[in-house]
Amino acid sequence: MLFKQQALLRQKLFVLGSLAIGSLLYLVARVGSLDRLQPLCPIDGRFGLRDQDEIPLRALQFKRGLLHEFRKGNATKEQIQLQNLVQQLPKAIIIGVRKGGTRALLEMLNLHPSVVKASQEIHFFDNDENYAKGTEWYRKKMPFSYPHQITIEKSPAYFITEEVPERIYKMNSSIKLLIIVREPTTRAISDYTQVLEGKERKNKTYYKFEKLAIDPNTCEVNTKYKAVRTSIYTKHLERWLKYFPIEQFHIVDGDRLITEPLPELQLVEKFLNLPPRISQYNLYFNATRGFYCLRFNIVFNKCLAGSKGRIHPEVDTSVITKLRKFFHPFNQKFYQITGRTFNWP
Ligand code: A3P
């Protein structure tokens, strides 16, 4: 009997020991694979990145942690100077389009070790009051970063605001401009859904999309409706082209960013002259959310807030057809100007 109990105990200890060793080996393998997934390689010099600026991944992760503390304001001036941290004006701006996937794009680009995002929409160029505060005010709104990193800001209102192209041009005529677009009718409905949700939150009633998008007098598309106007991408882009050559823009396919984000992000890395560092490891599909979420490392994952990826209300098919027909010629012009063609109906 005693012998049987001892044997059972030995068996249990053996199983527990194997489990512990197995977990340890798994962890070692995972940490190792992290380094392999984002190998070190020289960084291209367009943004002033030099070989000696290279930081090994673990150091980068450590520094990212420190950056987090600085952003939270838990750092003294001395610490900031010691770490060589600076607040830099953006080298690239996501100028729009509202509901195109601007937040997802910014957050995904922020996975890149050479990118630092301005978390909030700054609204410097589209808001007269902010703009009057000057470029130094704008710079001070930027997060702390290392000199070799690039800062990216997103304020989707920039794309449609009259004064913005000239103002950005005056600050930096060689800035890189990112525009993320979706199929125009879907984008307009997404825009409407956001406003509708705001009204519902305040217990207010709101019109149906159909009523806003179609002029009841003419039965034609209501071009005075902002959600419709914003989706006429070519009209807005033409204003920007008075200041910036088309080479300074990169168009991101917002519909593809939802279903297949990596290739879209790789195109952006190329446009920004960044070495390819964002990998499939950094993006995983979350079936509950129905969207890709972000994986920074073995412990830190995040999905976008619930306000991203709302369920759209059903819209009358004849209205959708009318809108698609309306947008068609503008889309053709947009493809022609940008050199990027989409399968929009
Ligand atoms: P919907 O709410 O219409 O689905 P923006 O950030 O410019 O406001 O865009 C919001 C849109 O980003 C959402 O529109 C959603 O479809 C899209 N999106 C793209 N990738 C996403 C992701 N990984 N998680 C959540 N939303 C994402």
Side-chain angles (χ1 to χ4, degrees):
M1 185 70 179
L2 188 69
F3 179 73
K4 245 187 176 177
Q5 270 178 345
Q6 275 178 343
L8 211 65
L9 194 70
R10 262 202 302 274
Q11 224 172 5
K12 275 185 184 165
L13 279 174
F14 176 74
V15 171
L16 279 175
S18 310
L19 273 175
I21 291 168
S23 312
L24 202 68
L25 283 174
Y26 173 74
L27 272 177
V28 169
R30 284 299 273 157
V31 172
S33 74
L34 271 184
D35 281 346
R36 279 197 307 280
L37 274 160
Q38 298 191 334
L40 292 173
C41 62
I43 296 173
D44 183 347
R46 270 292 272 278
F47 286 117
L49 308 177
R50 302 180 312 268
D51 280 357
Q52 63 264 38
D53 286 329
E54 271 187 40
I55 306 164
L57 181 75
R58 284 210 184 80
L60 258 176
Q61 280 170 349
F62 166 70
K63 289 189 169 192
R64 281 206 157 197
L66 265 179
L67 274 179
H68 181 64
E69 290 302 313
F70 291 130
R71 283 185 204 126
K72 283 197 311 189
N74 298 338
T76 63
K77 260 190 182 163
E78 289 73 26
Q79 278 174 315
I80 290 168
Q81 274 166 6
L82 216 67
Q83 289 300 321
N84 204 16
L85 288 167
V86 277
Q87 282 168 296
Q88 307 185 74
L89 285 171
K91 292 240 167 54
I93 304 182
I94 301 171
I95 56 172
V97 181
R98 176 183 151 95
K99 305 322 294 172
T102 52
R103 173 57 61 186
L105 179 60
L106 183 71
E107 297 295 332
M108 287 174 181
L109 288 177
N110 192 52
L111 288 162
H112 196 291
S114 297
V115 170
V116 176
K117 62 160 186 183
S119 294
Q120 307 293 323
E121 292 181 8
I122 315 275
H123 289 280
F124 176 61
F125 298 104
D126 63 308
N127 179 311
D128 291 343
E129 215 174 288
N130 287 342
Y131 189 66
K133 291 175 187 159
T135 314
E136 201 43 28
W137 176 88
Y138 183 47
R139 196 180 61 78
K140 288 268 169 65
K141 288 275 169 198
M142 294 300 150
F144 284 100
S145 60
Y146 293 97
H148 72 275
Q149 293 177 310
I150 63 160
T151 303
I152 302 188
E153 194 239 320
K154 80 116 179 161
S155 292
Y158 291 167
F159 186 58
I160 56 159
T161 309
E162 194 88 23
E163 301 81 6
V164 174
E166 186 182 359
R167 288 175 176 178
I168 294 187
Y169 181 83
K170 278 184 183 160
M171 182 192 74
N172 179 0
S173 62
S174 59
I175 199 156
K176 301 210 171 200
L177 302 164
L178 293 159
I179 308 175
I180 178 161
V181 291
R182 278 165 87 189
E183 189 276 309
T185 304
T186 312
R187 196 221 63 82
I189 297 171
S190 172
D191 200 329
Y192 165 82
T193 310
Q194 171 156 315
V195 178
L196 176 71
E197 196 185 281
K199 302 273 180 197
E200 280 171 350
R201 226 181 297 124
K202 291 179 194 154
N203 277 329
K204 288 186 177 169
T205 53
Y206 196 45
Y207 304 104
K208 283 189 83 180
F209 176 79
E210 292 85 339
K211 195 149 186 206
L212 294 166
I214 305 294
D215 183 332
N217 298 317
T218 61
C219 283
E220 294 299 327
V221 169
N222 179 10
T223 50
K224 289 199 184 92
Y225 178 38
K226 198 173 166 195
V228 167
R229 278 211 318 273
T230 303
S231 283
I232 309 176
Y233 304 138
T234 183
K235 285 275 175 224
H236 301 287
L237 183 61
E238 278 164 29
R239 275 188 303 102
W240 285 83
L241 289 172
K242 288 185 193 143
Y243 294 90
F244 299 97
I246 194 68
E247 294 74 33
Q248 260 167 263
F249 295 86
H250 176 75
I251 311 296
V252 179
D253 182 343
D255 294 308
R256 191 166 174 229
L257 194 82
I258 296 175
T259 55
E260 217 186 331
L262 188 60
E264 279 305 315
L265 295 170
Q266 287 170 333
L267 290 174
V268 180
E269 285 180 325
K270 223 174 188 177
F271 172 69
L272 297 177
N273 289 307
L274 293 171
R277 290 288 179 91
I278 304 173
S279 71
Q280 201 57 65
Y281 171 80
N282 298 123
L283 302 155
Y284 67 96
F285 187 75
N286 181 313
T288 319
R289 281 288 281 118
F291 284 98
Y292 275 89
C293 296
L294 286 64
R295 183 186 285 128
F296 286 83
N297 53 44
I298 192 166
V299 282
F300 184 46
N301 303 336
K302 78 165 188 186
C303 296
L304 261 59
S307 59
K308 304 293 172 185
R310 297 185 177 98
I311 294 169
H312 297 178
E314 241 179 71
V315 174
D316 192 291
T317 46
S318 69
V319 171
I320 292 191
T321 311
K322 204 168 246 183
L323 280 167
R324 289 192 166 151
K325 214 166 151 196
F326 168 81
F327 287 125
H328 186 79
F330 297 114
N331 295 343
Q332 297 302 313
K333 188 110 186 268
F334 185 70
Y335 303 158
Q336 201 186 343
I337 296 175
T338 60
R340 192 151 191 196
T341 308
F342 300 96
N343 287 328
W344 298 337

